[in-house]
Amino acid sequence: MLRPRIIPCLLIQDSGLVKTVRFKDPKYVGDPINAVKIFNEKEADELIVIDIDASAHEREPDYQKIAHLASECRMPLCYGGGVRTAEQAKRIIALGVEKVAISSAALANPGLISEIAAEIGRQSVVVVLDHKQRLLGKNQDVWTHNGTRNTKRSVIDVALEMEKLGAGEIVINSIDNDGKMKGYDLALASQLREALTVPLTVLGGGGSLDDMHKVVAACGVVGVAAGSFFVFKGPYRAVLISYPTAQQKLDSIYSALQGRR
């Protein structure tokens, strides 16, 4: 039986692991390699690692860092940050990474999706759409460059375009909910799950296993990703890397599929 993927999302800045709130005020939380080792021990389903400075500063991906991450990671690894060409994506896959995530470059040059898919296979192409609610109305716009530039395009319209161009997976990341740990945007997630045929991963706002349960109850088999939930503990946000056990996932998250049958 297909099951939802429970995915830690790690943000890297200046070679350190950080966590943001609404894409601002990054807090240093440790060494990325140590975090990868802990998630290995806890048998995480998958891992997303994003270099949040690479795209914003138009910097080349740090291939040495990526190779180190890939060599340590025992689970499927998705890397994003600074990828602007199909050649870069191919080089990253050759280092042992399973998926390459792109965001700003995909919005600036949509044809890049097809080019990368032709090089590494559609299943390895992930498009990350950072989104924020408009000041007026209910629509969610896609933002790029760490949430500093508004494309003024609907996240649903962009997601459908990216799927058509060859994206093998769409990740939606709520800027409004980032780091708040108060729940996901279930309405948008449900809309996109119905509209898309490729895998969907929902990120932004996860603060409990119950939050993840609600995503699966609303959307079925999707990826459920989080950052703060996996690196912080308690109301004072003490740094502690954690991940649910197989039994916790069965009881708290996978059980949500029962009601959808």
Side-chain angles (χ1 to χ4, degrees):
M1 180 182 72
L2 290 175
R3 287 180 171 175
R5 295 164 292 131
I6 311 305
I7 309 168
C9 180
L10 305 181
L11 305 180
I12 294 178
Q13 184 180 58
D14 297 328
S15 298
L17 180 62
V18 300
K19 188 64 198 80
T20 57
V21 176
R22 300 190 72 183
F23 282 35
K24 298 177 181 178
D25 303 321
K27 176 182 179 181
Y28 177 79
V29 295
D31 177 69
I33 296 299
N34 287 339
V36 169
K37 291 178 179 178
I38 294 172
F39 286 123
N40 283 338
E41 294 173 0
K42 295 182 179 296
E43 299 182 339
D45 295 335
E46 189 174 325
L47 193 63
I48 298 173
V49 175
I50 305 291
D51 185 331
I52 61 176
D53 282 342
S55 293
H57 300 306
E58 298 185 353
R59 197 173 63 210
E60 183 88 359
D62 187 334
Y63 299 108
Q64 184 175 358
K65 180 194 304 177
I66 296 168
H68 193 185
L69 287 166
S71 67
E72 292 288 349
C73 194
R74 298 178 196 158
M75 69 218 82
L77 173 63
C78 174
Y79 169 83
V83 179
R84 297 188 300 276
T85 69
E87 290 74 19
Q88 290 173 329
K90 186 177 180 180
R91 183 174 176 181
I92 289 169
I93 290 294
L95 296 174
V97 174
E98 280 74 23
K99 301 177 185 178
V100 174
I102 55 176
S103 181
S104 303
L107 273 296
N109 176 21
L112 178 62
I113 303 296
S114 302
E115 295 173 14
I116 294 178
E119 283 289 345
I120 66 175
R122 179 174 189 154
Q123 75 285 346
S124 294
V125 183
V126 177
V127 174
V128 180
L129 301 179
D130 302 325
H131 60 90
K132 185 190 299 186
Q133 187 168 333
R134 291 179 185 172
L135 293 177
L136 299 175
K138 296 182 179 180
N139 284 345
Q140 297 269 347
D141 285 337
V142 175
W143 290 63
T144 62
H145 296 80
N146 291 345
T148 61
R149 301 182 190 178
N150 187 0
T151 68
K152 298 182 180 180
R153 296 189 60 196
S154 160
V155 64
I156 294 178
D157 290 344
V158 174
L160 289 172
E161 179 187 0
M162 296 300 152
E163 177 187 53
K164 185 176 180 180
L165 288 169
E169 181 177 348
I170 301 293
V171 175
I172 54 169
N173 185 16
S174 172
I175 299 173
D176 293 320
N177 294 338
D178 173 57
K180 306 297 284 186
M181 300 180 71
K182 294 183 178 179
Y184 296 90
D185 188 331
L186 297 179
L188 179 61
S190 298
Q191 282 183 282
L192 278 166
R193 181 60 285 163
E194 291 182 7
L196 296 169
T197 60
V198 296
L200 171 70
T201 292
V202 185
L203 173 62
S208 67
L209 293 178
D210 185 57
D211 289 336
M212 296 182 178
H213 175 100
K214 290 176 181 176
V215 173
V216 176
C219 303
V221 178
V222 293
V224 186
S228 297
F229 175 67
F230 295 120
V231 299
F232 292 136
K233 183 176 179 62
Y236 299 106
R237 298 167 73 91
V239 176
L240 179 66
I241 293 177
S242 64
Y243 188 82
T245 65
Q247 190 62 49
Q248 286 175 321
K249 289 194 288 186
L250 184 64
D251 294 341
S252 303
I253 302 171
Y254 299 159
S255 63
L257 293 173
Q258 300 295 326
R260 294 180 57 84
R261 294 179 178 175

